[in-house]
Amino acid sequence: MRVLLIEDDQAIAELLRQSLTAQHYLVEVAADGQTGWDLAETFEYDLILLDLMLPKLDGISFCQRLRHERRSSLKPFNLNTPILLMTAEGASSSRVAGLDAGADDYIVKPFNLDELLARVRALLRRGNVGRSPCLEWGQLQLDPSACQASYQGQPFHLSSKEYSLLELFLRHPQRIFSHGTLIEHLWMLEDTPTENAVRAQIKGLRKRLKEIGVEDWLETVYGLGYRLKEAQIARESAAVGEADIPQQPTSLSPYSSIPTNPFWEQYRAQYSDRLSVIERAVSALQTNLLSEELRQQAQREAHTLKGSLGLFDLDDASEMSGQIEQLLKTALLNQLEQADLLELTSKLRQAIQPFPQMQSPSTTEKGYHSSSSPEKLALPQRSQLLIVDDDTQLLAFMQSMLQPWGFQVALLNDPQQIWSSLEAVKPDLLMLDIEMLGTNGIELCQKIRNNSRFGDLPILMISASNDDETIQQVFMAGADDYVSKPIRAAELVARVIRRLEHAMVLKKLRGMEN
Amino acid sequence: MPKRILLIDDEDGARRIIQFSLEAAAGWEVLTAASGAEGLNLAEAEPFDAILLDVMMPDLDGAATFQRLQENPETRSIPVIMLTAKANPAEHQPLVELGIAGIITKPFKIPALIAQIRAILNWQE
């Protein structure tokens, strides 16, 4: 994990650097706020340790700039990176100012080093993974507080780099890491390796884990990078090596490994807090200490959860919330009802637990593995896409897959309006369904290719069939690529990015010719 | 012109997902407000074809917000659909008697929500 330490007191900076390095963190030190800012603008960090009083740019201003800066032309580095503010001022006003400015936590100097390291670990967990202090993948376990890896309870040794790689994947279970991103996270500036060296590290880690019986834990996402597999799926499937990754559209079950709802991760913590109120009430009830006020508050929270969780496709959780609400309506519950309430609350917690895939496979609930935000990949984001399909639900679904990557997505469900939409949207890439009511996507593709204004536009066709004849027609019509339904998020994103990169290269080459 | 909807709901998650879904799946333009007071200001400032109003909100709840909308000549004619997690029809009656256009019970699925809004408001798009 990569940490930016911004501290002007050399002695403290050195002490922290050594302590963090001993915990396998990669630490870069800036001695003033402006230098720290320059680094934060250029590189991605997993955590920023920030002194409050700094020359050139103070800690509060740094936080405000980082959290509120709108740098649309730059990569969205570190916008959400946790910040731990270090302050020598015990006054609550300065702590409040720091937290209001966007810091996630603070620690008052002089601090206990163990406490600081614990806060660092807590912050790293908060933004990215479940709240368990240990990272888990099936029976593979990583304890960041002891820097210890174990499998089936047996500790095993990893090199420092292997440990860091594994920790990174476990902390970001849904994120795809390109070679470049891995280098950014795990290697120092002056120590930048080649892509081959990164491959060698991945290969070494795979081999090391295979030796102790862990296989098929990491998938290679074609054209993008590496991603941790779901523990449950990995156990069921046979080993699939890198060479086996299909390069053509596959026909896996619809929406497998795709977050059913792109918003869930964003709001999970809020709903978890609501559930905490209910848990407090249940706990108080057990000891006959439930106040009327807390009972009513818990009932209101259950009411809200019932209404809202269904929106995130958590139907069972919504129903359980309704049952809890009903039970909480009664001021005096008998023993049986109290037991029901306890069980329902516990089940509800399991249903909305952060990152269920990090728990044991038996409790893993499929379908809610929403994306850790992939916007930090160095890809041609902010590109404008236009998707044309007469199926509005599919349009919304594709939008939900692409928007988290930073693409600007325009939707059109009436292909008759294609020309005016092209003029209005001026897309960098067009996605066109083949079978639309009253319109043949392939013919439309041909017309666009023959148009003097839009003839060079990259076109990706969307097809329900992937037979040879259709594929041939797609390319004969001048399309650049195609995606077959059911659409898989990783494949769709990979193909979109590939087309955009290809178009950028062509543009550059043409510029050189002229 | 796409229909313009004002969604008033104090809950961030519900507001965001309903807004996104109505915009993406129905093509409507959706503005949101996180409280009854904020909703009243927006409704007065901009034209809307309909208002989706959550019943249970702190401070100014759905019923009070609706009454304030009715008192204002600028906003009186905007049809209002209430969103409530109360499933019992008997509990809906007082709301219906206020003169709202309709009531939709949570939890709902987005396609059903869109269909219900269209049905209540008789929107033929």
Side-chain angles (χ1 to χ4, degrees):
Chain A
M1 309 300 281
R2 195 171 183 140
V3 175
L4 174 59
L5 168 61
I6 312 177
E7 170 63 80
D8 60 330
D9 184 326
Q10 276 192 7
I12 292 182
E14 184 53 26
L15 172 72
L16 287 174
R17 194 188 63 74
Q18 285 182 17
S19 306
L20 291 163
T21 306
Q23 298 284 313
H24 295 287
Y25 299 114
L26 282 177
V27 185
E28 285 168 27
V29 183
D32 64 74
Q34 187 55 50
T35 308
W37 177 258
D38 293 341
L39 283 168
E41 267 202 321
T42 319
F43 302 104
E44 186 181 355
Y45 295 94
D46 299 292
L47 180 93
I48 298 173
L49 262 172
L50 179 65
D51 190 29
L52 184 70
M53 301 286 285
L54 284 167
K56 297 187 184 172
L57 182 66
D58 67 81
I60 302 278
S61 306
F62 181 100
C63 284
Q64 285 170 336
R65 266 171 80 173
L66 194 74
R67 294 295 188 234
H68 304 295
E69 189 83 355
R70 290 283 174 266
R71 293 165 294 151
S72 57
S73 60
L74 296 175
K75 292 166 188 173
F77 281 153
N78 301 314
L79 287 175
N80 300 311
T81 300
I83 298 175
L84 176 55
L85 199 61
M86 301 177 290
T87 168
E89 296 180 39
S92 66
S93 57
S94 62
R95 300 199 300 265
V96 169
L99 294 173
D100 280 348
D104 297 270
D105 197 2
Y106 65 88
I107 188 161
V108 179
K109 294 178 185 172
F111 45 73
N112 175 299
L113 206 52
D114 286 340
E115 184 189 344
L116 181 128
L117 293 173
R119 284 180 188 272
V120 165
R121 287 194 294 273
L123 279 179
L124 288 170
R125 285 199 302 273
R126 187 186 296 177
N128 304 310
V129 297
R131 312 230 176 236
S132 161
C134 283
L135 302 166
E136 290 175 358
W137 185 88
Q139 297 186 72
L140 181 66
Q141 200 175 55
L142 220 61
D143 180 358
S145 63
C147 299
Q148 178 65 63
S150 58
Y151 180 60
Q152 293 180 333
Q154 294 296 314
F156 63 92
H157 177 73
L158 289 174
S159 73
S160 172
K161 201 58 80 186
E162 287 168 348
Y163 177 91
S164 301
L165 263 175
L166 187 57
E167 182 182 1
L168 190 65
F169 284 121
L170 292 186
R171 282 196 186 278
H172 303 269
Q174 290 292 308
R175 183 167 170 182
I176 301 167
F177 287 94
S178 65
H179 288 116
T181 322
L182 289 174
I183 290 170
E184 276 182 21
H185 276 269
L186 301 179
W187 276 268
M188 300 291 284
L189 269 179
E190 61 274 22
D191 192 23
T192 305
T194 62
E195 287 197 1
N196 278 341
V198 179
R199 272 196 202 96
Q201 287 288 350
I202 294 273
K203 195 175 169 188
L205 180 58
R206 278 182 161 145
K207 189 176 166 207
R208 178 73 191 105
L209 291 180
K210 192 175 178 182
E211 283 168 4
I212 58 163
V214 184
E215 292 189 65
D216 199 21
W217 58 280
L218 188 69
E219 71 174 313
T220 308
V221 183
Y222 177 67
L224 288 180
Y226 305 95
R227 175 172 58 189
L228 188 72
K229 280 190 174 183
E230 275 182 48
Q232 198 173 18
I233 289 176
R235 284 189 326 142
E236 287 166 359
S237 60
V240 178
E242 218 165 304
D244 301 321
I245 298 300
Q247 300 201 3
Q248 289 299 317
T250 53
S251 54
L252 294 179
S253 63
Y255 317 150
S256 60
S257 81
I258 291 169
T260 53
N261 196 303
F263 296 107
W264 174 238
E265 282 312 323
Q266 211 175 329
Y267 294 99
R268 188 202 295 263
Q270 285 184 17
Y271 293 113
S272 179
D273 288 347
R274 289 181 185 276
L275 177 56
S276 299
V277 174
I278 300 172
E279 287 168 337
R280 277 213 316 275
V282 172
S283 173
L285 185 67
Q286 307 279 303
T287 49
N288 289 324
L289 291 171
L290 178 59
S291 66
E292 179 58 17
E293 190 187 354
L294 182 56
R295 184 187 68 77
Q296 287 186 12
Q297 193 191 351
Q299 189 195 326
R300 280 198 299 275
E301 301 298 3
H303 184 83
T304 301
L305 289 173
K306 177 181 78 171
S308 299
L309 293 177
L311 279 172
F312 296 93
D313 299 326
L314 292 165
D315 294 342
D316 290 346
S318 168
E319 198 178 321
M320 282 187 267
S321 305
Q323 292 171 24
I324 291 170
E325 183 195 4
Q326 286 304 317
L327 286 166
L328 285 170
K329 274 183 180 170
T330 314
L332 289 170
L333 294 177
N334 63 35
Q335 291 286 323
L336 203 61
E337 288 167 331
Q338 283 193 26
D340 281 352
L341 184 61
L342 186 63
E343 190 185 346
L344 280 165
T345 309
S346 163
K347 279 185 178 169
L348 184 56
R349 170 57 71 191
Q350 281 176 27
I352 69 170
Q353 191 73 16
F355 295 88
Q357 73 272 31
M358 297 300 286
Q359 301 171 348
S360 66
S362 60
T363 59
T364 298
E365 184 177 343
K366 274 195 75 179
Y368 306 119
H369 306 157
S370 185
S371 54
S372 55
S373 180
E375 74 273 359
K376 291 176 180 171
L377 288 179
L379 298 165
Q381 296 152 335
R382 317 306 303 171
S383 299
Q384 176 71 59
L385 315 180
L386 174 62
I387 313 177
V388 187
D389 198 314
D390 57 350
D391 180 343
T392 50
Q393 288 202 347
L394 189 70
L395 280 177
F397 186 65
M398 289 174 70
Q399 185 183 37
S400 73
M401 288 177 184
L402 292 163
Q403 264 185 339
W405 293 79
F407 296 117
Q408 308 286 310
V409 183
L411 307 175
L412 177 65
N413 65 1
D414 178 6
Q416 305 298 326
Q417 293 177 31
I418 180 83
W419 298 106
S420 57
S421 297
L422 286 172
E423 286 289 351
V425 175
K426 296 191 173 48
D428 299 301
L429 182 141
L430 173 68
M431 300 170 72
L432 205 51
D433 189 24
I434 290 184
E435 300 94 6
M436 292 181 284
L437 199 62
T439 304
N440 182 323
I442 290 178
E443 288 173 9
L444 193 51
C445 175
Q446 272 175 328
K447 285 180 187 164
I448 294 166
R449 273 285 166 268
N450 294 329
N451 181 278
S452 57
R453 279 179 55 73
F454 300 104
D456 292 336
L457 183 63
I459 301 177
L460 193 68
M461 301 298 287
I462 307 157
S463 167
S465 52
N466 57 0
D467 57 276
D468 290 348
E469 194 183 344
T470 307
I471 295 169
Q472 197 177 2
Q473 282 180 358
V474 162
F475 289 112
M476 290 280 284
D480 296 279
D481 202 355
Y482 78 101
V483 177
S484 67
K485 301 174 190 173
I487 296 168
R488 295 187 69 210
E491 184 195 330
L492 178 71
V493 173
R495 288 185 186 277
V496 165
I497 288 167
R498 196 181 332 153
R499 281 341 312 163
L500 288 168
E501 283 178 340
H502 190 248
M504 280 164 64
V505 171
L506 275 181
K507 207 171 172 182
K508 271 188 190 167
L509 287 173
R510 282 180 187 143
M512 286 163 68
E513 280 171 9
N514 295 336
Chain B
M1 286 285 285
K3 300 284 189 193
R4 276 169 61 88
I5 289 184
L6 172 60
L7 168 64
I8 308 174
D9 194 324
D10 64 313
E11 199 193 329
D12 295 348
R15 209 169 54 242
R16 175 89 196 277
I17 195 167
I18 293 172
Q19 178 189 30
F20 166 80
S21 306
L22 294 187
E23 288 184 344
W28 299 330
E29 188 181 343
V30 181
L31 272 71
T32 65
S35 67
E38 192 188 336
L40 288 171
N41 287 336
L42 257 176
E44 204 173 355
E46 300 198 31
F48 290 100
D49 296 298
I51 294 174
L52 296 179
L53 180 58
D54 188 36
V55 171
M56 194 184 278
M57 291 190 292
D59 303 326
L60 208 58
D61 68 8
T65 305
F66 177 73
Q67 277 166 341
R68 297 271 287 273
L69 286 166
Q70 289 296 291
E71 285 161 15
N72 185 340
E74 298 277 316
T75 55
R76 186 181 297 155
S77 57
I78 309 171
V80 173
I81 296 174
M82 292 275 204
L83 307 177
T84 176
K86 291 179 179 169
N88 186 350
E91 291 179 281
H92 296 174
Q93 197 52 36
L95 297 171
V96 173
E97 284 171 5
L98 291 172
I100 58 174
I103 193 158
I104 295 177
T105 310
K106 299 178 188 176
F108 44 67
K109 294 289 172 204
I110 293 298
L113 174 68
I114 293 170
Q116 275 188 287
I117 294 171
R118 283 190 172 129
I120 291 169
L121 301 173
N122 196 23
W123 282 354
Q124 315 274 337
E125 293 167 284

